[in-house]
Amino acid sequence: MKLRKALIIAGVGFMAMIAAQADAASARRDSAGTLADGTAVEAVTLSAANGVSARVLTYGATLQAFSGPDRNGKVADVLLGYDDAKDYAEHPNYFGVTVGRFANRIGGGKFTLDGKSYQLPLNDKVNSLHGGKVGFDKQPWRIVAVKDGSVTMALTSPDGDQGYPGKLDVTITYTLSDDGALTIAFGAKTDKPTVVNMTNHAIFNLAGEGSPMGALGHKLTIPAKAITPVDANLVPTGELRPVAGTVFDFRNGRILADGVRDGRDPQIVMGHGYDHNFALDKGVTATPGLAARLEDPASGRVLEVSSTEPGVQMYTGNFLDGSYIGKSRHVYRMGDGVALEPQKFPDAPNKPNFASARVDPGKPYRHVMIYKLSVAK
């Protein structure tokens, strides 16, 4: 009870800080066209004084673009994705979207809550992935507020949506501050016990989206002494495995290319590269703590990812096979970007030793994460 009260107090203080940050940057609301079924899509562009900007679509509450200067002042978009909003619906691949109700995999697409079993759609071979076949990323969100530097969107997920129990009222607020920090605050209220695990699925190339060398030359640091190793279906076994002496040891920083093709490690073979959850040393925190630091030596751009959640999924775009044609007609292939997704551990509803993803009436879900884009000094 004391911990929950402390988290609430800290959360209120942090949200007040977000509100104060919003006064410093600007926001512009525009039409982003329509989908094939006639659904209108809007975009909100947030711009900061230091040259960093973010563009958010109502379809999937998607972070479509995140741009900032390099060490020479040249501005580039660092997110893989599409130029046209309708492509997110017609060629989905989770580029920059909001994923839910449950980010990542639930093994067998099933879980038990209070003695009742729930079956979810299987959209990842034998698993349910990122909320199912029609997750939050494939739905139109509604804008409820646009202020200087921020936009808040909302979505209602009915009881039984994709097999999950409970009517869920969801909000997401994107806030950009003038130091290039994009805060993403997720909130959800339910009318019956359920499970929730939301995150953003941005895929980054700090050299600039579509740059020919991709992201494998980036240096990544993750403050985690363990990962949750996976089975052949990429579902965690339940073990916490130390990273020391393996290609998963990013505690002191390492170049992604050093381990992404190291077939001597069975985990790399099963993931076709990196597609693993890191158990952050900080655990669950009231305010966002560092989850990852990504640096591109060539451009000097740095991305710091912070979160209140206990894990971060690192994914090197292993299933990009050249069939996705992205921004400026760039052909995306494996290694062209890296995702860093703060979240609860995958398959948490089926792993009692993992931090719980349970959400109850009167006890709202909350996750605050930050993408901060800057230049190395």
Side-chain angles (χ1 to χ4, degrees), residues 143-228:
I143 294 176
V144 296
V146 177
K147 301 178 182 179
D148 288 344
S150 75
V151 56
T152 298
M153 300 180 183
L155 176 73
T156 298
S157 176
D159 184 17
D161 186 13
Q162 298 298 292
Y164 289 91
K167 174 177 173 285
L168 202 69
D169 291 310
V170 188
T171 61
I172 180 172
T173 298
Y174 286 90
T175 304
L176 183 66
S177 62
D178 270 336
D179 63 353
L182 180 66
T183 298
I184 308 175
F186 307 92
K189 297 179 180 179
T190 184
D191 63 358
K192 67 173 65 171
T194 190
V195 295
V196 182
N197 181 32
M198 296 176 62
T199 193
N200 181 272
H201 200 289
I203 301 180
F204 295 94
N205 182 348
L206 298 185
E209 171 279 327
S211 66
M213 299 305 293
L216 295 184
H218 291 10
K219 181 180 180 180
L220 177 64
T221 304
I222 300 178
K225 60 178 177 291
I227 62 167
T228 54

Coordinates of all heavy atoms in Angstrom, one line a residue, residues 143-228:
I143 N -8.6 12.5 -31.1 CA -7.9 13.5 -30.4 C -8.8 14.2 -29.4 O -9.9 14.6 -29.7 CB -7.3 14.6 -31.4 CG1 -6.3 13.9 -32.3 CG2 -6.7 15.8 -30.6 CD1 -5.8 14.9 -33.4
V144 N -8.3 14.3 -28.1 CA -9.1 14.9 -27.1 C -8.5 16.2 -26.6 O -9.2 17.0 -26.0 CB -9.3 14.0 -25.9 CG1 -10.1 12.7 -26.3 CG2 -8.0 13.5 -25.2
A145 N -7.2 16.5 -26.9 CA -6.6 17.7 -26.5 C -5.3 18.0 -27.3 O -4.6 17.0 -27.5 CB -6.3 17.8 -25.0
V146 N -5.2 19.2 -27.8 CA -3.9 19.6 -28.4 C -3.5 20.9 -27.7 O -4.2 21.9 -27.7 CB -4.0 19.9 -29.9 CG1 -2.7 20.4 -30.5 CG2 -4.5 18.6 -30.6
K147 N -2.3 20.9 -27.1 CA -1.8 22.1 -26.4 C -0.4 22.3 -27.0 O 0.1 21.5 -27.7 CB -1.7 21.8 -24.9 CG -3.1 21.5 -24.3 CD -3.0 21.2 -22.8 CE -4.3 20.9 -22.2 NZ -4.2 20.6 -20.7
D148 N 0.2 23.4 -26.5 CA 1.6 23.7 -27.0 C 2.5 22.5 -26.6 O 2.6 22.2 -25.4 CB 2.1 25.0 -26.3 CG 1.5 26.2 -26.9 OD1 0.9 26.1 -28.0 OD2 1.6 27.3 -26.3
G149 N 3.0 21.9 -27.6 CA 4.0 20.8 -27.3 C 3.4 19.4 -27.0 O 4.1 18.5 -26.7
S150 N 2.1 19.3 -27.0 CA 1.5 18.0 -26.6 C 0.2 17.7 -27.3 O -0.5 18.6 -27.8 CB 1.3 17.9 -25.1 OG 0.2 18.6 -24.7
V151 N -0.1 16.4 -27.4 CA -1.4 15.9 -28.0 C -1.8 14.7 -27.1 O -1.0 13.9 -26.8 CB -1.3 15.6 -29.5 CG1 -0.2 14.5 -29.7 CG2 -2.7 15.1 -30.0
T152 N -3.1 14.7 -26.8 CA -3.7 13.6 -26.1 C -4.7 12.9 -27.0 O -5.6 13.6 -27.5 CB -4.3 14.0 -24.7 OG1 -3.3 14.6 -23.9 CG2 -5.0 12.8 -24.0
M153 N -4.6 11.6 -27.1 CA -5.6 10.8 -27.9 C -6.2 9.7 -27.0 O -5.6 9.4 -25.9 CB -4.9 10.1 -29.0 CG -4.2 11.0 -30.0 SD -3.4 10.2 -31.4 CE -2.7 11.5 -32.3
A154 N -7.4 9.2 -27.4 CA -8.1 8.3 -26.6 C -8.7 7.2 -27.4 O -8.9 7.4 -28.7 CB -9.2 8.9 -25.8
L155 N -8.9 6.0 -26.8 CA -9.5 4.9 -27.5 C -10.3 4.1 -26.5 O -9.9 3.9 -25.3 CB -8.4 4.0 -28.1 CG -8.8 2.7 -28.8 CD1 -9.4 3.0 -30.1 CD2 -7.5 1.8 -29.0
T156 N -11.4 3.5 -26.9 CA -12.2 2.6 -26.0 C -12.2 1.2 -26.6 O -12.5 1.0 -27.8 CB -13.6 3.1 -25.9 OG1 -13.7 4.4 -25.3 CG2 -14.4 2.1 -25.0
S157 N -11.7 0.3 -25.8 CA -11.6 -1.1 -26.2 C -12.7 -1.9 -25.4 O -12.7 -1.9 -24.2 CB -10.2 -1.7 -25.8 OG -10.2 -3.1 -26.1
P158 N -13.7 -2.4 -26.1 CA -14.8 -3.0 -25.4 C -14.5 -4.3 -24.8 O -13.5 -5.0 -25.1 CB -15.9 -3.2 -26.6 CG -15.0 -3.3 -27.8 CD -13.9 -2.4 -27.6
D159 N -15.3 -4.7 -23.8 CA -15.1 -6.0 -23.2 C -15.1 -7.1 -24.2 O -16.0 -7.2 -25.1 CB -16.3 -6.2 -22.2 CG -16.2 -7.5 -21.3 OD1 -15.0 -8.0 -21.3 OD2 -17.2 -7.9 -20.8
G160 N -14.1 -8.0 -24.2 CA -14.0 -9.1 -25.1 C -13.2 -8.7 -26.4 O -13.0 -9.6 -27.2
D161 N -12.8 -7.5 -26.5 CA -12.0 -7.1 -27.7 C -10.7 -7.9 -27.8 O -9.9 -8.0 -26.9 CB -11.6 -5.6 -27.5 CG -10.9 -5.0 -28.7 OD1 -10.9 -5.7 -29.8 OD2 -10.3 -3.9 -28.6
Q162 N -10.6 -8.6 -28.9 CA -9.5 -9.5 -29.2 C -9.3 -10.6 -28.1 O -8.2 -11.1 -27.8 CB -8.2 -8.7 -29.3 CG -8.1 -7.8 -30.5 CD -8.3 -8.5 -31.8 OE1 -7.4 -9.2 -32.3 NE2 -9.4 -8.2 -32.5
G163 N -10.4 -10.9 -27.4 CA -10.4 -11.9 -26.4 C -10.1 -11.5 -25.0 O -10.2 -12.3 -24.0
Y164 N -9.8 -10.2 -24.8 CA -9.4 -9.7 -23.5 C -10.6 -9.3 -22.7 O -11.6 -8.7 -23.2 CB -8.5 -8.5 -23.6 CG -7.1 -8.8 -24.1 CD1 -6.8 -8.7 -25.5 CD2 -6.1 -9.1 -23.2 CE1 -5.5 -9.0 -25.9 CE2 -4.8 -9.4 -23.7 CZ -4.5 -9.3 -25.0 OH -3.3 -9.6 -25.5
P165 N -10.6 -9.6 -21.4 CA -11.8 -9.2 -20.5 C -11.7 -7.7 -20.2 O -10.7 -7.1 -20.1 CB -11.6 -10.0 -19.3 CG -10.1 -10.2 -19.2 CD -9.6 -10.3 -20.6
G166 N -12.9 -7.1 -20.0 CA -13.0 -5.8 -19.4 C -13.1 -4.7 -20.5 O -12.4 -4.8 -21.5
K167 N -14.0 -3.7 -20.3 CA -14.0 -2.5 -21.1 C -12.8 -1.7 -20.7 O -12.7 -1.3 -19.5 CB -15.3 -1.8 -21.0 CG -15.4 -0.4 -21.7 CD -16.8 0.1 -21.4 CE -16.9 1.6 -22.0 NZ -16.2 2.5 -21.1
L168 N -12.0 -1.3 -21.6 CA -10.8 -0.5 -21.3 C -10.9 0.9 -22.0 O -11.0 1.0 -23.2 CB -9.6 -1.3 -21.8 CG -8.2 -1.0 -21.2 CD1 -8.2 -1.5 -19.7 CD2 -7.1 -1.6 -22.0
D169 N -10.8 1.9 -21.2 CA -10.7 3.3 -21.7 C -9.2 3.7 -21.6 O -8.6 3.8 -20.5 CB -11.6 4.2 -20.8 CG -13.0 3.9 -21.0 OD1 -13.5 3.8 -22.2 OD2 -13.8 3.8 -20.0
V170 N -8.7 4.0 -22.8 CA -7.2 4.2 -22.9 C -6.9 5.6 -23.3 O -7.6 6.2 -24.2 CB -6.7 3.2 -24.0 CG1 -5.1 3.3 -24.0 CG2 -7.1 1.8 -23.7
T171 N -5.9 6.2 -22.8 CA -5.4 7.5 -23.3 C -3.9 7.4 -23.5 O -3.2 6.6 -22.9 CB -5.6 8.6 -22.2 OG1 -4.9 8.3 -21.0 CG2 -7.1 8.8 -22.0
I172 N -3.4 8.2 -24.4 CA -2.0 8.4 -24.6 C -1.7 9.9 -24.9 O -2.4 10.5 -25.6 CB -1.5 7.5 -25.8 CG1 0.0 7.7 -26.1 CG2 -2.2 7.9 -27.1 CD1 0.6 6.8 -27.1
T173 N -0.6 10.4 -24.2 CA -0.2 11.8 -24.4 C 1.2 11.8 -24.8 O 2.1 11.3 -24.2 CB -0.4 12.6 -23.1 OG1 -1.8 12.6 -22.7 CG2 0.1 14.0 -23.3
Y174 N 1.4 12.4 -26.0 CA 2.8 12.7 -26.5 C 3.1 14.2 -26.1 O 2.3 15.1 -26.4 CB 2.8 12.6 -28.0 CG 2.8 11.2 -28.6 CD1 1.6 10.6 -28.9 CD2 4.0 10.5 -28.8 CE1 1.6 9.3 -29.4 CE2 3.9 9.2 -29.4 CZ 2.7 8.7 -29.7 OH 2.7 7.4 -30.3
T175 N 4.3 14.4 -25.5 CA 4.7 15.7 -25.1 C 6.1 15.9 -25.4 O 7.0 15.1 -25.0 CB 4.5 15.9 -23.5 OG1 3.2 15.7 -23.2 CG2 4.9 17.3 -23.1
L176 N 6.4 17.0 -26.2 CA 7.8 17.3 -26.6 C 8.3 18.5 -25.9 O 7.6 19.5 -25.8 CB 7.8 17.5 -28.1 CG 9.2 17.8 -28.7 CD1 10.1 16.6 -28.6 CD2 9.1 18.2 -30.2
S177 N 9.5 18.4 -25.3 CA 10.1 19.5 -24.6 C 11.2 20.1 -25.4 O 11.7 19.5 -26.4 CB 10.6 19.1 -23.2 OG 11.6 18.1 -23.3
D178 N 11.6 21.3 -25.1 CA 12.6 22.0 -25.9 C 14.0 21.4 -25.8 O 14.9 21.8 -26.6 CB 12.6 23.5 -25.6 CG 11.7 24.3 -26.5 OD1 11.3 23.8 -27.5 OD2 11.2 25.4 -26.1
D179 N 14.2 20.4 -25.0 CA 15.5 19.7 -25.0 C 15.5 18.4 -25.8 O 16.4 17.7 -25.8 CB 16.0 19.4 -23.6 CG 15.1 18.5 -22.8 OD1 14.0 18.1 -23.4 OD2 15.4 18.1 -21.7
G180 N 14.4 18.3 -26.6 CA 14.3 17.1 -27.5 C 13.8 15.8 -26.9 O 14.0 14.8 -27.4
A181 N 13.2 16.0 -25.7 CA 12.6 14.8 -25.0 C 11.2 14.6 -25.4 O 10.4 15.5 -25.1 CB 12.8 14.9 -23.5
L182 N 10.8 13.5 -26.0 CA 9.5 13.2 -26.3 C 8.9 12.2 -25.2 O 9.3 11.0 -25.2 CB 9.4 12.5 -27.7 CG 8.0 12.2 -28.1 CD1 7.1 13.4 -28.3 CD2 8.0 11.4 -29.4
T183 N 8.0 12.7 -24.4 CA 7.5 11.8 -23.3 C 6.2 11.2 -23.9 O 5.3 11.9 -24.5 CB 7.2 12.7 -22.1 OG1 8.4 13.2 -21.6 CG2 6.5 11.8 -21.0
I184 N 6.0 9.9 -23.7 CA 4.8 9.2 -24.1 C 4.2 8.6 -22.8 O 4.8 7.7 -22.2 CB 5.1 8.1 -25.1 CG1 5.9 8.7 -26.3 CG2 3.8 7.5 -25.6 CD1 6.4 7.6 -27.3
A185 N 3.0 9.1 -22.4 CA 2.3 8.7 -21.2 C 1.1 7.9 -21.6 O 0.2 8.4 -22.2 CB 2.0 9.8 -20.3
F186 N 1.1 6.6 -21.2 CA -0.1 5.7 -21.4 C -0.9 5.6 -20.1 O -0.3 5.5 -19.0 CB 0.4 4.3 -21.8 CG 1.4 4.2 -22.9 CD1 2.7 4.2 -22.7 CD2 0.9 4.1 -24.2 CE1 3.6 4.1 -23.8 CE2 1.8 4.0 -25.3 CZ 3.2 4.0 -25.1
G187 N -2.2 5.6 -20.3 CA -3.1 5.4 -19.2 C -4.3 4.5 -19.6 O -4.7 4.6 -20.7
A188 N -4.8 3.7 -18.7 CA -6.0 2.9 -19.0 C -6.8 2.5 -17.8 O -6.2 2.3 -16.7 CB -5.5 1.6 -19.7
K189 N -8.1 2.6 -17.9 CA -9.0 2.2 -16.8 C -9.9 1.1 -17.3 O -10.4 1.1 -18.4 CB -9.8 3.4 -16.4 CG -9.0 4.6 -15.8 CD -9.9 5.7 -15.4 CE -9.1 6.9 -14.9 NZ -10.0 8.1 -14.5
T190 N -10.1 0.1 -16.4 CA -10.9 -1.0 -16.8 C -12.1 -1.2 -15.8 O -12.1 -0.7 -14.7 CB -10.1 -2.3 -16.7 OG1 -10.9 -3.4 -17.1 CG2 -9.6 -2.6 -15.3
D191 N -13.2 -1.9 -16.3 CA -14.3 -2.1 -15.4 C -14.3 -3.6 -14.9 O -15.3 -3.9 -14.1 CB -15.6 -1.8 -16.1 CG -15.9 -2.7 -17.4 OD1 -15.0 -3.6 -17.7 OD2 -16.9 -2.6 -18.0
K192 N -13.3 -4.4 -15.2 CA -13.2 -5.7 -14.6 C -11.7 -6.1 -14.7 O -11.0 -5.6 -15.6 CB -14.1 -6.7 -15.3 CG -13.8 -7.1 -16.7 CD -14.6 -8.2 -17.2 CE -16.1 -7.9 -17.3 NZ -16.9 -9.0 -18.0
P193 N -11.2 -7.0 -13.9 CA -9.8 -7.4 -14.0 C -9.4 -7.8 -15.4 O -10.1 -8.6 -16.1 CB -9.8 -8.6 -13.0 CG -10.9 -8.4 -12.0 CD -12.0 -7.8 -12.9
T194 N -8.2 -7.4 -15.8 CA -7.7 -7.7 -17.1 C -6.2 -7.6 -17.1 O -5.6 -7.4 -16.0 CB -8.3 -6.7 -18.2 OG1 -7.9 -7.2 -19.5 CG2 -7.8 -5.3 -18.0
V195 N -5.5 -7.7 -18.2 CA -4.1 -7.5 -18.3 C -3.8 -6.4 -19.3 O -4.5 -6.4 -20.4 CB -3.3 -8.8 -18.7 CG1 -3.5 -9.8 -17.6 CG2 -3.8 -9.4 -20.0
V196 N -2.8 -5.6 -19.1 CA -2.5 -4.5 -20.0 C -1.0 -4.3 -20.0 O -0.3 -4.4 -19.0 CB -3.1 -3.1 -19.5 CG1 -2.8 -2.0 -20.5 CG2 -4.6 -3.3 -19.4
N197 N -0.4 -4.1 -21.2 CA 1.0 -3.8 -21.4 C 1.2 -3.1 -22.7 O 1.1 -3.6 -23.7 CB 1.7 -5.2 -21.4 CG 3.2 -5.0 -21.6 OD1 3.8 -4.1 -21.1 ND2 3.9 -6.0 -22.3
M198 N 1.4 -1.8 -22.5 CA 1.4 -0.9 -23.7 C 2.8 -0.3 -23.9 O 3.5 -0.1 -23.0 CB 0.4 0.2 -23.6 CG -1.0 -0.3 -23.6 SD -2.2 1.1 -23.4 CE -1.9 2.1 -24.8
T199 N 3.2 -0.1 -25.2 CA 4.4 0.6 -25.5 C 4.4 1.2 -26.9 O 3.3 1.0 -27.6 CB 5.6 -0.4 -25.4 OG1 6.9 0.3 -25.4 CG2 5.6 -1.4 -26.5
N200 N 5.4 1.9 -27.3 CA 5.6 2.4 -28.6 C 6.6 1.5 -29.4 O 7.5 1.0 -28.8 CB 6.0 3.8 -28.6 CG 6.2 4.4 -30.0 OD1 7.2 4.2 -30.7 ND2 5.1 5.0 -30.6
H201 N 6.3 1.2 -30.7 CA 7.1 0.3 -31.5 C 7.9 1.1 -32.5 O 8.0 0.6 -33.7 CB 6.2 -0.7 -32.1 CG 7.0 -2.0 -32.5 ND1 7.8 -2.0 -33.6 CD2 6.9 -3.3 -32.0 CE1 8.3 -3.3 -33.8 NE2 7.8 -4.0 -32.8
A202 N 8.5 2.2 -32.2 CA 9.4 2.9 -33.1 C 10.6 2.1 -33.4 O 11.2 1.4 -32.6 CB 9.8 4.2 -32.5
I203 N 11.0 2.1 -34.7 CA 12.2 1.5 -35.2 C 13.2 2.6 -35.7 O 12.9 3.3 -36.6 CB 11.9 0.5 -36.3 CG1 10.9 -0.6 -35.8 CG2 13.2 -0.2 -36.8 CD1 10.6 -1.7 -36.8
F204 N 14.3 2.6 -35.0 CA 15.2 3.8 -35.2 C 16.4 3.5 -36.1 O 17.0 2.4 -36.0 CB 15.8 4.2 -33.8 CG 14.7 4.7 -32.9 CD1 14.1 3.9 -32.0 CD2 14.4 6.1 -32.9 CE1 13.2 4.4 -31.1 CE2 13.4 6.6 -32.0 CZ 12.8 5.7 -31.1
N205 N 16.8 4.5 -36.9 CA 18.1 4.5 -37.5 C 18.6 6.0 -37.3 O 18.1 6.9 -38.0 CB 18.0 4.2 -39.0 CG 19.3 4.2 -39.7 OD1 20.3 4.7 -39.2 ND2 19.4 3.7 -41.0
L206 N 19.5 6.2 -36.4 CA 19.9 7.5 -36.0 C 20.8 8.2 -37.1 O 20.9 9.4 -37.1 CB 20.7 7.5 -34.7 CG 19.9 7.0 -33.5 CD1 20.8 7.1 -32.2 CD2 18.6 7.7 -33.3
A207 N 21.2 7.4 -38.1 CA 21.9 8.0 -39.2 C 21.0 8.7 -40.2 O 21.4 9.5 -41.0 CB 22.7 7.0 -40.0
G208 N 19.7 8.4 -40.0 CA 18.6 8.9 -40.8 C 17.9 7.8 -41.5 O 18.6 6.9 -42.0
E209 N 16.6 7.8 -41.4 CA 15.8 6.7 -42.0 C 16.3 6.5 -43.5 O 16.4 7.4 -44.2 CB 14.3 7.2 -42.0 CG 13.4 6.3 -42.7 CD 13.3 6.6 -44.2 OE1 13.6 7.7 -44.6 OE2 13.2 5.6 -45.0
G210 N 16.5 5.2 -43.8 CA 16.9 4.8 -45.1 C 18.3 4.9 -45.4 O 18.8 4.7 -46.6
S211 N 19.2 5.4 -44.5 CA 20.6 5.5 -44.8 C 21.1 4.1 -45.1 O 20.8 3.1 -44.5 CB 21.3 6.1 -43.6 OG 21.3 5.2 -42.5
P212 N 22.0 4.0 -46.1 CA 22.4 2.7 -46.7 C 23.1 1.8 -45.7 O 23.0 0.5 -45.8 CB 23.3 3.0 -47.8 CG 23.7 4.4 -47.6 CD 22.6 5.1 -46.9
M213 N 23.7 2.3 -44.7 CA 24.5 1.4 -43.7 C 23.6 0.9 -42.6 O 24.0 0.1 -41.8 CB 25.7 2.2 -43.1 CG 26.7 2.7 -44.1 SD 27.3 1.4 -45.2 CE 28.2 0.5 -44.0
G214 N 22.3 1.3 -42.6 CA 21.4 0.8 -41.6 C 21.8 1.2 -40.1 O 22.5 2.2 -39.9
A215 N 21.4 0.4 -39.2 CA 21.6 0.8 -37.8 C 22.6 -0.1 -37.1 O 22.8 0.0 -35.9 CB 20.3 0.8 -37.0
L216 N 23.1 -1.1 -37.8 CA 24.0 -2.1 -37.1 C 25.3 -1.5 -36.6 O 26.0 -2.2 -35.8 CB 24.2 -3.3 -38.0 CG 22.9 -4.1 -38.3 CD1 23.2 -5.4 -39.1 CD2 22.2 -4.5 -37.0
G217 N 25.7 -0.4 -37.1 CA 26.9 0.3 -36.7 C 26.7 1.2 -35.4 O 27.6 1.7 -34.9
H218 N 25.4 1.2 -34.9 CA 25.1 2.0 -33.8 C 25.7 1.3 -32.5 O 25.8 0.1 -32.4 CB 23.6 2.1 -33.6 CG 23.0 3.0 -34.6 ND1 23.6 3.5 -35.7 CD2 21.7 3.5 -34.7 CE1 22.7 4.2 -36.4 NE2 21.6 4.2 -35.8
K219 N 26.0 2.1 -31.5 CA 26.5 1.6 -30.2 C 25.3 1.7 -29.3 O 24.7 2.7 -29.1 CB 27.6 2.5 -29.7 CG 28.2 2.0 -28.3 CD 29.3 2.9 -27.9 CE 29.9 2.4 -26.5 NZ 31.0 3.3 -26.1
L220 N 25.0 0.6 -28.6 CA 23.9 0.4 -27.7 C 24.3 0.1 -26.3 O 25.2 -0.8 -26.1 CB 22.9 -0.6 -28.2 CG 21.7 -0.9 -27.3 CD1 20.8 0.3 -27.3 CD2 20.9 -2.1 -27.9
T221 N 23.7 0.8 -25.3 CA 24.0 0.5 -23.9 C 22.6 0.2 -23.3 O 21.7 1.0 -23.4 CB 24.6 1.7 -23.2 OG1 25.9 2.0 -23.9 CG2 24.9 1.3 -21.8
I222 N 22.6 -0.9 -22.6 CA 21.4 -1.3 -21.8 C 21.8 -1.7 -20.4 O 22.5 -2.6 -20.2 CB 20.6 -2.5 -22.5 CG1 20.2 -2.1 -23.9 CG2 19.4 -2.8 -21.6 CD1 19.4 -3.2 -24.6
P223 N 21.3 -1.0 -19.4 CA 21.7 -1.3 -18.0 C 20.9 -2.5 -17.5 O 19.9 -2.4 -16.7 CB 21.3 0.0 -17.2 CG 20.2 0.6 -18.0 CD 20.5 0.2 -19.5
A224 N 21.2 -3.7 -17.9 CA 20.5 -4.9 -17.6 C 21.6 -6.0 -17.4 O 22.3 -6.3 -18.4 CB 19.5 -5.3 -18.6
K225 N 21.5 -6.7 -16.3 CA 22.5 -7.8 -16.1 C 21.9 -9.2 -16.5 O 22.5 -10.2 -16.4 CB 23.0 -7.9 -14.7 CG 21.9 -8.1 -13.6 CD 22.6 -8.1 -12.2 CE 21.6 -8.3 -11.1 NZ 20.8 -7.0 -10.9
A226 N 20.6 -9.2 -17.0 CA 19.9 -10.4 -17.4 C 18.9 -10.2 -18.5 O 18.4 -9.1 -18.7 CB 19.2 -11.0 -16.2
I227 N 18.7 -11.2 -19.3 CA 17.6 -11.2 -20.3 C 16.6 -12.3 -19.9 O 16.9 -13.1 -19.0 CB 18.1 -11.5 -21.7 CG1 18.8 -12.9 -21.8 CG2 19.1 -10.4 -22.2 CD1 19.1 -13.3 -23.2
T228 N 15.5 -12.3 -20.6 CA 14.5 -13.4 -20.4 C 14.7 -14.2 -21.7 O 14.0 -13.9 -22.7 CB 13.1 -12.9 -20.2 OG1 12.8 -12.0 -21.3 CG2 12.9 -12.1 -18.9

